């Protein structure tokens, strides 16, 4: 790792299923369904973890937290994020900034974006303005448009600590 900056990207999807809330960026959002997932199904954190792991070339979240491992049953994904933050620091990097986009028709994400940013910044030990959370719909097209699930994309830039 000879460069002074590293970039990573992540993408995650979960299908909607039974339940009464979704968890996004560590924020519990009341909803008329939940998501199918082994953990809490937080696509924001899963995409962000994959971006951090990608920047470190350390594989993906499934390698570090196998869905077959009963320890991660209904796990709080913030544990995963804090683990990834520790890996970043251990290897001599720090997060420059991260930008996340949530894709869904519902629930409405923007009212919760500030709380999500605060959670993510706290877990990563960075300032609030180093973390961006945006939301978009897919104009009723595709699986997110049909309300079958939700997705998130993330990019993260690491700089030398
Ligand atoms: Mg996931």
């Amino acid at each position: 790792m000879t460069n002074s900056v590293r970039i990573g990207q992540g993408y995650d999807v979960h299908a909607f299923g039974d339940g009464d809330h979704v968890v996004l960026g560590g924020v519990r959002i009341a909803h008329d369904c939940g998501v199918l997932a082994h953990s809490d199904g937080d696509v924001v954190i899963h995409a962000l973890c994959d971006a951090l792991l990608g920047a470190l070339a350390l594989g993906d979240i499934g390698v570090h937290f196998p869905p077959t491992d009963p320890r991660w049953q209904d796990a709080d994904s913030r544990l995963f994020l804090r683990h990834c933050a520790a890996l970043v620091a251990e290897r001599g990097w720090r997060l420059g900034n991260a930008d996340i986009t949530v894709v869904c028709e519902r629930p409405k994400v923007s009212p919760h974006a500030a709380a999500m940013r605060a959670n993510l910044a706290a877990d990563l030990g960075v300032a609030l303005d180093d973390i961006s959370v945006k939301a978009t719909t897919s104009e009723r097209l595709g699986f997110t448009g049909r309300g079958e699930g939700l997705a998130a994309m993330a990019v993260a830039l690491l700089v030398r600590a």
Side-chain angles (χ1 to χ4, degrees), residues 14-43 73-77 104 106-109 112 148-150:
H14 281 278
F16 286 127
D18 289 341
D20 61 2
H21 70 279
V22 299
V23 180
L24 292 174
V27 178
R28 184 187 170 106
I29 300 170
H31 193 41
D32 52 19
C33 60
V35 296
L36 301 174
H38 185 67
S39 68
D40 63 9
D42 189 329
V43 291
Q73 178 83 46
D74 300 322
D76 179 349
S77 293
C104 62
R106 296 178 55 247
K108 212 162 174 37
V109 171
H112 307 284
E148 295 167 2
L150 73 178

Side-chain angles (χ1 to χ4, degrees), residues 11-14 36-47 50 61 77 80:
Y11 174 67
D12 193 44
V13 170
H14 281 278
L36 301 174
H38 185 67
S39 68
D40 63 9
D42 189 329
V43 291
V44 167
I45 289 184
H46 296 179
D50 263 357
I61 193 171
S77 293
F80 304 164

Side-chain angles (χ1 to χ4, degrees), residues 107-125:
K108 212 162 174 37
V109 171
S110 55
H112 307 284
M116 291 164 56
R117 291 174 64 208
N119 285 345
L120 303 176
D123 289 344
L124 293 165

Side-chain angles (χ1 to χ4, degrees), residues 133-159:
V133 174
K134 317 193 296 297
T136 187
T137 72
S138 44
E139 299 291 344
R140 302 186 180 225
L141 298 170
F143 71 90
T144 52
R146 291 188 296 269
E148 295 167 2
L150 73 178
M153 296 173 285
V155 288
L157 187 76
L158 302 186
V159 296

Side-chain angles (χ1 to χ4, degrees), residues 62-129:
V63 171
H64 293 261
F65 304 99
T68 49
D69 188 331
R71 276 184 300 169
W72 314 127
Q73 178 83 46
D74 300 322
D76 179 349
S77 293
R78 293 182 70 179
L79 293 174
F80 304 164
L81 185 58
R82 290 194 282 266
H83 177 79
C84 292
L87 290 174
V88 168
E90 273 169 25
R91 282 164 173 73
W93 299 90
R94 66 179 176 81
L95 179 66
N97 74 297
D99 183 25
I100 299 135
T101 302
V102 186
V103 185
C104 62
E105 303 292 323
R106 296 178 55 247
K108 212 162 174 37
V109 171
S110 55
H112 307 284
M116 291 164 56
R117 291 174 64 208
N119 285 345
L120 303 176
D123 289 344
L124 293 165
V126 299
L128 202 54
D129 63 3

